[in-house]
mmCIF file of all heavy atoms in Angstrom:
data_model
loop_
_atom_site.group_PDB
_atom_site.id
_atom_site.type_symbol
_atom_site.label_atom_id
_atom_site.label_comp_id
_atom_site.label_asym_id
_atom_site.label_seq_id
_atom_site.Cartn_x
_atom_site.Cartn_y
_atom_site.Cartn_z
ATOM 1 N N GLN A 183 4.810 1.847 26.717
ATOM 2 C CA GLN A 183 4.478 3.257 26.931
ATOM 3 C C GLN A 183 3.541 3.746 25.834
ATOM 4 O O GLN A 183 2.327 3.674 25.983
ATOM 5 C CB GLN A 183 5.749 4.096 26.967
ATOM 6 C CG GLN A 183 6.592 3.883 28.198
ATOM 7 C CD GLN A 183 5.907 4.374 29.452
ATOM 8 O OE1 GLN A 183 5.131 5.323 29.413
ATOM 9 N NE2 GLN A 183 6.198 3.717 30.571
ATOM 10 N N VAL A 184 4.113 4.226 24.742
ATOM 11 C CA VAL A 184 3.305 4.742 23.651
ATOM 12 C C VAL A 184 2.817 3.600 22.776
ATOM 13 O O VAL A 184 3.600 2.737 22.381
ATOM 14 C CB VAL A 184 4.098 5.746 22.804
ATOM 15 C CG1 VAL A 184 3.266 6.208 21.607
ATOM 16 C CG2 VAL A 184 4.509 6.933 23.654
ATOM 17 N N GLN A 185 1.542 3.619 22.488
ATOM 18 C CA GLN A 185 0.960 2.594 21.640
ATOM 19 C C GLN A 185 -0.053 3.216 20.694
ATOM 20 O O GLN A 185 -0.923 3.974 21.123
ATOM 21 C CB GLN A 185 0.293 1.508 22.472
ATOM 22 C CG GLN A 185 -0.242 0.345 21.656
ATOM 23 C CD GLN A 185 -0.805 -0.764 22.519
ATOM 24 O OE1 GLN A 185 -1.331 -0.518 23.605
ATOM 25 N NE2 GLN A 185 -0.695 -1.987 22.044
ATOM 26 N N LEU A 186 0.076 2.893 19.426
ATOM 27 C CA LEU A 186 -0.881 3.304 18.413
ATOM 28 C C LEU A 186 -1.466 2.041 17.813
ATOM 29 O O LEU A 186 -0.729 1.186 17.323
ATOM 30 C CB LEU A 186 -0.213 4.142 17.319
ATOM 31 C CG LEU A 186 0.529 5.405 17.767
ATOM 32 C CD1 LEU A 186 1.185 6.083 16.560
ATOM 33 C CD2 LEU A 186 -0.424 6.368 18.454
ATOM 34 N N THR A 187 -2.779 1.919 17.855
ATOM 35 C CA THR A 187 -3.445 0.714 17.406
ATOM 36 C C THR A 187 -4.447 1.042 16.316
ATOM 37 O O THR A 187 -5.458 1.696 16.570
ATOM 38 C CB THR A 187 -4.155 0.013 18.574
ATOM 39 O OG1 THR A 187 -3.216 -0.257 19.617
ATOM 40 C CG2 THR A 187 -4.759 -1.304 18.104
ATOM 41 N N GLU A 188 -4.157 0.565 15.111
ATOM 42 C CA GLU A 188 -5.050 0.783 13.980
ATOM 43 C C GLU A 188 -6.127 -0.297 13.939
ATOM 44 O O GLU A 188 -5.896 -1.436 14.340
ATOM 45 C CB GLU A 188 -4.278 0.773 12.656
ATOM 46 C CG GLU A 188 -3.162 1.800 12.556
ATOM 47 C CD GLU A 188 -1.815 1.236 12.942
ATOM 48 O OE1 GLU A 188 -1.769 0.239 13.696
ATOM 49 O OE2 GLU A 188 -0.797 1.791 12.480
ATOM 50 N N SER A 189 -7.266 0.070 13.410
ATOM 51 C CA SER A 189 -8.350 -0.880 13.210
ATOM 52 C C SER A 189 -9.241 -0.386 12.080
ATOM 53 O O SER A 189 -9.142 0.769 11.661
ATOM 54 C CB SER A 189 -9.170 -1.071 14.489
ATOM 55 O OG SER A 189 -9.786 0.144 14.881
ATOM 56 N N GLY A 190 -10.093 -1.254 11.599
ATOM 57 C CA GLY A 190 -11.048 -0.871 10.575
ATOM 58 C C GLY A 190 -10.734 -1.363 9.182
ATOM 59 O O GLY A 190 -11.544 -1.184 8.266
ATOM 60 N N GLY A 191 -9.575 -1.971 9.000
ATOM 61 C CA GLY A 191 -9.227 -2.493 7.695
ATOM 62 C C GLY A 191 -10.058 -3.714 7.357
ATOM 63 O O GLY A 191 -10.749 -4.278 8.201
ATOM 64 N N GLY A 192 -9.981 -4.121 6.102
ATOM 65 C CA GLY A 192 -10.736 -5.279 5.672
ATOM 66 C C GLY A 192 -10.678 -5.464 4.182
ATOM 67 O O GLY A 192 -9.920 -4.788 3.485
ATOM 68 N N LEU A 193 -11.496 -6.381 3.700
ATOM 69 C CA LEU A 193 -11.591 -6.690 2.279
ATOM 70 C C LEU A 193 -12.889 -6.110 1.739
ATOM 71 O O LEU A 193 -13.978 -6.458 2.216
ATOM 72 C CB LEU A 193 -11.553 -8.204 2.065
ATOM 73 C CG LEU A 193 -11.791 -8.710 0.649
ATOM 74 C CD1 LEU A 193 -10.712 -8.192 -0.293
ATOM 75 C CD2 LEU A 193 -11.839 -10.228 0.640
ATOM 76 N N VAL A 194 -12.772 -5.234 0.758
ATOM 77 C CA VAL A 194 -13.941 -4.601 0.162
ATOM 78 C C VAL A 194 -13.800 -4.584 -1.350
ATOM 79 O O VAL A 194 -12.721 -4.794 -1.902
ATOM 80 C CB VAL A 194 -14.143 -3.162 0.673
ATOM 81 C CG1 VAL A 194 -14.371 -3.150 2.175
ATOM 82 C CG2 VAL A 194 -12.951 -2.290 0.301
ATOM 83 N N GLN A 195 -14.904 -4.310 -2.012
ATOM 84 C CA GLN A 195 -14.901 -4.202 -3.464
ATOM 85 C C GLN A 195 -14.634 -2.767 -3.893
ATOM 86 O O GLN A 195 -14.845 -1.827 -3.129
ATOM 87 C CB GLN A 195 -16.239 -4.671 -4.037
ATOM 88 C CG GLN A 195 -16.502 -6.152 -3.865
ATOM 89 C CD GLN A 195 -17.785 -6.597 -4.529
ATOM 90 O OE1 GLN A 195 -18.793 -5.896 -4.487
ATOM 91 N NE2 GLN A 195 -17.753 -7.768 -5.149
ATOM 92 N N ALA A 196 -14.152 -2.614 -5.099
ATOM 93 C CA ALA A 196 -13.893 -1.290 -5.637
ATOM 94 C C ALA A 196 -15.149 -0.428 -5.546
ATOM 95 O O ALA A 196 -16.253 -0.884 -5.828
ATOM 96 C CB ALA A 196 -13.421 -1.387 -7.079
ATOM 97 N N GLY A 197 -14.954 0.816 -5.138
ATOM 98 C CA GLY A 197 -16.056 1.736 -4.980
ATOM 99 C C GLY A 197 -16.593 1.808 -3.570
ATOM 100 O O GLY A 197 -17.356 2.732 -3.247
ATOM 101 N N ALA A 198 -16.199 0.879 -2.725
ATOM 102 C CA ALA A 198 -16.679 0.840 -1.351
ATOM 103 C C ALA A 198 -15.939 1.846 -0.481
ATOM 104 O O ALA A 198 -14.980 2.492 -0.916
ATOM 105 C CB ALA A 198 -16.523 -0.565 -0.785
ATOM 106 N N SER A 199 -16.384 1.953 0.761
ATOM 107 C CA SER A 199 -15.777 2.860 1.728
ATOM 108 C C SER A 199 -15.350 2.109 2.969
ATOM 109 O O SER A 199 -15.937 1.090 3.329
ATOM 110 C CB SER A 199 -16.758 3.961 2.128
ATOM 111 O OG SER A 199 -17.114 4.775 1.033
ATOM 112 N N LEU A 200 -14.323 2.609 3.611
ATOM 113 C CA LEU A 200 -13.861 2.102 4.887
ATOM 114 C C LEU A 200 -13.452 3.280 5.759
ATOM 115 O O LEU A 200 -13.000 4.302 5.250
ATOM 116 C CB LEU A 200 -12.664 1.172 4.729
ATOM 117 C CG LEU A 200 -12.888 -0.265 4.269
ATOM 118 C CD1 LEU A 200 -11.536 -0.941 4.048
ATOM 119 C CD2 LEU A 200 -13.711 -1.037 5.286
ATOM 120 N N ARG A 201 -13.602 3.109 7.050
ATOM 121 C CA ARG A 201 -13.101 4.092 7.989
ATOM 122 C C ARG A 201 -12.088 3.420 8.903
ATOM 123 O O ARG A 201 -12.420 2.495 9.657
ATOM 124 C CB ARG A 201 -14.223 4.706 8.825
ATOM 125 C CG ARG A 201 -13.714 5.726 9.854
ATOM 126 C CD ARG A 201 -14.841 6.406 10.600
ATOM 127 N NE ARG A 201 -15.602 7.280 9.728
ATOM 128 C CZ ARG A 201 -16.633 8.024 10.129
ATOM 129 N NH1 ARG A 201 -17.024 7.975 11.388
ATOM 130 N NH2 ARG A 201 -17.270 8.791 9.262
ATOM 131 N N LEU A 202 -10.856 3.883 8.832
ATOM 132 C CA LEU A 202 -9.807 3.386 9.693
ATOM 133 C C LEU A 202 -9.732 4.223 10.958
ATOM 134 O O LEU A 202 -9.951 5.434 10.924
ATOM 135 C CB LEU A 202 -8.455 3.422 8.985
ATOM 136 C CG LEU A 202 -8.351 2.694 7.643
ATOM 137 C CD1 LEU A 202 -6.918 2.759 7.129
ATOM 138 C CD2 LEU A 202 -8.819 1.258 7.767
ATOM 139 N N SER A 203 -9.424 3.573 12.059
ATOM 140 C CA SER A 203 -9.251 4.257 13.328
ATOM 141 C C SER A 203 -7.870 3.966 13.880
ATOM 142 O O SER A 203 -7.311 2.888 13.650
ATOM 143 C CB SER A 203 -10.302 3.798 14.348
ATOM 144 O OG SER A 203 -11.607 4.075 13.904
ATOM 145 N N CYS A 204 -7.323 4.911 14.588
ATOM 146 C CA CYS A 204 -6.041 4.741 15.257
ATOM 147 C C CYS A 204 -6.192 5.276 16.669
ATOM 148 O O CYS A 204 -6.305 6.492 16.868
ATOM 149 C CB CYS A 204 -4.930 5.470 14.509
ATOM 150 S SG CYS A 204 -3.335 5.461 15.361
ATOM 151 N N ALA A 205 -6.202 4.369 17.627
ATOM 152 C CA ALA A 205 -6.333 4.742 19.025
ATOM 153 C C ALA A 205 -4.957 4.872 19.656
ATOM 154 O O ALA A 205 -4.126 3.968 19.538
ATOM 155 C CB ALA A 205 -7.157 3.696 19.774
ATOM 156 N N ALA A 206 -4.712 5.988 20.311
ATOM 157 C CA ALA A 206 -3.420 6.267 20.914
ATOM 158 C C ALA A 206 -3.494 6.158 22.426
ATOM 159 O O ALA A 206 -4.487 6.547 23.049
ATOM 160 C CB ALA A 206 -2.936 7.655 20.518
ATOM 161 N N SER A 207 -2.428 5.656 23.012
ATOM 162 C CA SER A 207 -2.305 5.592 24.459
ATOM 163 C C SER A 207 -0.847 5.813 24.841
ATOM 164 O O SER A 207 0.055 5.608 24.032
ATOM 165 C CB SER A 207 -2.806 4.251 25.007
ATOM 166 O OG SER A 207 -2.023 3.175 24.505
ATOM 167 N N GLY A 208 -0.626 6.239 26.066
ATOM 168 C CA GLY A 208 0.726 6.453 26.536
ATOM 169 C C GLY A 208 1.337 7.766 26.102
ATOM 170 O O GLY A 208 2.550 7.977 26.283
ATOM 171 N N LEU A 209 0.557 8.642 25.535
ATOM 172 C CA LEU A 209 1.034 9.954 25.132
ATOM 173 C C LEU A 209 -0.072 10.983 25.308
ATOM 174 O O LEU A 209 -1.241 10.631 25.423
ATOM 175 C CB LEU A 209 1.548 9.942 23.687
ATOM 176 C CG LEU A 209 0.641 9.390 22.584
ATOM 177 C CD1 LEU A 209 -0.461 10.373 22.215
ATOM 178 C CD2 LEU A 209 1.454 9.057 21.344
ATOM 179 N N SER A 210 0.339 12.240 25.338
ATOM 180 C CA SER A 210 -0.630 13.327 25.387
ATOM 181 C C SER A 210 -1.074 13.595 23.960
ATOM 182 O O SER A 210 -0.420 14.316 23.210
ATOM 183 C CB SER A 210 -0.003 14.569 26.010
ATOM 184 O OG SER A 210 -0.952 15.616 26.116
ATOM 185 N N PHE A 211 -2.183 12.999 23.600
ATOM 186 C CA PHE A 211 -2.607 12.935 22.204
ATOM 187 C C PHE A 211 -2.695 14.301 21.532
ATOM 188 O O PHE A 211 -2.275 14.465 20.388
ATOM 189 C CB PHE A 211 -3.945 12.207 22.114
ATOM 190 C CG PHE A 211 -4.415 11.971 20.716
ATOM 191 C CD1 PHE A 211 -3.779 11.061 19.895
ATOM 192 C CD2 PHE A 211 -5.511 12.659 20.216
ATOM 193 C CE1 PHE A 211 -4.220 10.837 18.599
ATOM 194 C CE2 PHE A 211 -5.965 12.442 18.931
ATOM 195 C CZ PHE A 211 -5.309 11.526 18.122
ATOM 196 N N SER A 212 -3.229 15.274 22.240
ATOM 197 C CA SER A 212 -3.433 16.590 21.648
ATOM 198 C C SER A 212 -2.130 17.327 21.359
ATOM 199 O O SER A 212 -2.145 18.347 20.672
ATOM 200 C CB SER A 212 -4.326 17.451 22.542
ATOM 201 O OG SER A 212 -3.723 17.665 23.807
ATOM 202 N N ASN A 213 -1.011 16.831 21.863
ATOM 203 C CA ASN A 213 0.287 17.444 21.603
ATOM 204 C C ASN A 213 0.991 16.850 20.392
ATOM 205 O O ASN A 213 2.122 17.232 20.091
ATOM 206 C CB ASN A 213 1.197 17.305 22.822
ATOM 207 C CG ASN A 213 0.773 18.199 23.965
ATOM 208 O OD1 ASN A 213 0.162 19.245 23.756
ATOM 209 N ND2 ASN A 213 1.093 17.790 25.184
ATOM 210 N N TYR A 214 0.338 15.933 19.700
ATOM 211 C CA TYR A 214 0.948 15.247 18.573
ATOM 212 C C TYR A 214 0.190 15.495 17.287
ATOM 213 O O TYR A 214 -1.041 15.377 17.237
ATOM 214 C CB TYR A 214 0.999 13.739 18.820
ATOM 215 C CG TYR A 214 2.024 13.310 19.840
ATOM 216 C CD1 TYR A 214 1.786 13.469 21.194
ATOM 217 C CD2 TYR A 214 3.221 12.739 19.433
ATOM 218 C CE1 TYR A 214 2.730 13.085 22.130
ATOM 219 C CE2 TYR A 214 4.161 12.346 20.366
ATOM 220 C CZ TYR A 214 3.913 12.515 21.711
ATOM 221 O OH TYR A 214 4.854 12.116 22.631
ATOM 222 N N ALA A 215 0.950 15.826 16.254
ATOM 223 C CA ALA A 215 0.398 15.753 14.916
ATOM 224 C C ALA A 215 0.287 14.288 14.541
ATOM 225 O O ALA A 215 1.073 13.460 15.002
ATOM 226 C CB ALA A 215 1.291 16.491 13.921
ATOM 227 N N MET A 216 -0.693 13.952 13.727
ATOM 228 C CA MET A 216 -0.925 12.564 13.354
ATOM 229 C C MET A 216 -0.918 12.404 11.844
ATOM 230 O O MET A 216 -1.292 13.320 11.106
ATOM 231 C CB MET A 216 -2.260 12.075 13.905
ATOM 232 C CG MET A 216 -2.388 12.139 15.424
ATOM 233 S SD MET A 216 -1.208 11.061 16.280
ATOM 234 C CE MET A 216 -1.755 9.447 15.722
ATOM 235 N N GLY A 217 -0.492 11.242 11.411
ATOM 236 C CA GLY A 217 -0.457 10.975 9.988
ATOM 237 C C GLY A 217 -0.843 9.553 9.666
ATOM 238 O O GLY A 217 -0.807 8.665 10.528
ATOM 239 N N TRP A 218 -1.238 9.352 8.426
ATOM 240 C CA TRP A 218 -1.509 8.022 7.892
ATOM 241 C C TRP A 218 -0.570 7.759 6.724
ATOM 242 O O TRP A 218 -0.380 8.620 5.861
ATOM 243 C CB TRP A 218 -2.956 7.889 7.409
ATOM 244 C CG TRP A 218 -3.964 7.764 8.502
ATOM 245 C CD1 TRP A 218 -4.717 8.758 9.049
ATOM 246 C CD2 TRP A 218 -4.343 6.563 9.184
ATOM 247 N NE1 TRP A 218 -5.538 8.263 10.021
ATOM 248 C CE2 TRP A 218 -5.328 6.910 10.127
ATOM 249 C CE3 TRP A 218 -3.941 5.228 9.081
ATOM 250 C CZ2 TRP A 218 -5.923 5.971 10.965
ATOM 251 C CZ3 TRP A 218 -4.531 4.293 9.919
ATOM 252 C CH2 TRP A 218 -5.507 4.664 10.843
ATOM 253 N N PHE A 219 0.000 6.563 6.711
ATOM 254 C CA PHE A 219 0.867 6.104 5.641
ATOM 255 C C PHE A 219 0.400 4.733 5.196
ATOM 256 O O PHE A 219 -0.344 4.063 5.908
ATOM 257 C CB PHE A 219 2.326 6.036 6.101
ATOM 258 C CG PHE A 219 2.915 7.376 6.451
ATOM 259 C CD1 PHE A 219 2.620 7.995 7.657
ATOM 260 C CD2 PHE A 219 3.771 8.016 5.576
ATOM 261 C CE1 PHE A 219 3.154 9.224 7.985
ATOM 262 C CE2 PHE A 219 4.319 9.252 5.891
ATOM 263 C CZ PHE A 219 4.010 9.852 7.092
ATOM 264 N N ARG A 220 0.845 4.317 4.032
ATOM 265 C CA ARG A 220 0.491 2.982 3.571
ATOM 266 C C ARG A 220 1.654 2.362 2.824
ATOM 267 O O ARG A 220 2.502 3.047 2.270
ATOM 268 C CB ARG A 220 -0.758 3.015 2.683
ATOM 269 C CG ARG A 220 -0.585 3.744 1.356
ATOM 270 C CD ARG A 220 -1.924 3.867 0.646
ATOM 271 N NE ARG A 220 -1.794 4.488 -0.662
ATOM 272 C CZ ARG A 220 -2.822 4.802 -1.442
ATOM 273 N NH1 ARG A 220 -4.067 4.539 -1.036
ATOM 274 N NH2 ARG A 220 -2.616 5.373 -2.627
ATOM 275 N N GLN A 221 1.670 1.038 2.812
ATOM 276 C CA GLN A 221 2.731 0.313 2.142
ATOM 277 C C GLN A 221 2.168 -0.950 1.519
ATOM 278 O O GLN A 221 1.593 -1.787 2.209
ATOM 279 C CB GLN A 221 3.858 -0.037 3.106
ATOM 280 C CG GLN A 221 5.065 -0.668 2.443
ATOM 281 C CD GLN A 221 6.251 -0.770 3.379
ATOM 282 O OE1 GLN A 221 6.098 -0.737 4.599
ATOM 283 N NE2 GLN A 221 7.439 -0.892 2.822
ATOM 284 N N ALA A 222 2.338 -1.072 0.222
ATOM 285 C CA ALA A 222 1.945 -2.270 -0.505
ATOM 286 C C ALA A 222 3.145 -3.199 -0.609
ATOM 287 O O ALA A 222 4.292 -2.743 -0.551
ATOM 288 C CB ALA A 222 1.427 -1.906 -1.889
ATOM 289 N N PRO A 223 2.913 -4.505 -0.779
ATOM 290 C CA PRO A 223 4.024 -5.447 -0.885
ATOM 291 C C PRO A 223 4.995 -5.073 -1.992
ATOM 292 O O PRO A 223 4.589 -4.797 -3.123
ATOM 293 C CB PRO A 223 3.325 -6.776 -1.191
ATOM 294 C CG PRO A 223 1.973 -6.624 -0.577
ATOM 295 C CD PRO A 223 1.610 -5.190 -0.808
#
């Protein structure tokens, strides 16, 4: 049903930029607040 798929990650050097994307399906996207979290080992 609901699926959130992140993309855009990678290996970069300090000072570089990346743009992450999260594509949502199976839900009415505009009815949801969205957030980004991260976890290091």
Side-chain angles (χ1 to χ4, degrees):
Q183 289 293 329
V184 176
Q185 185 176 31
L186 303 178
T187 304
E188 302 95 336
S189 62
L193 174 62
V194 298
Q195 293 184 320
S199 297
L200 282 174
R201 178 175 292 182
L202 305 184
S203 299
C204 174
S207 62
L209 53 76
S210 183
F211 185 70
S212 62
N213 288 333
Y214 287 77
M216 300 296 296
W218 285 96
F219 295 77
R220 66 187 183 185
Q221 186 170 21

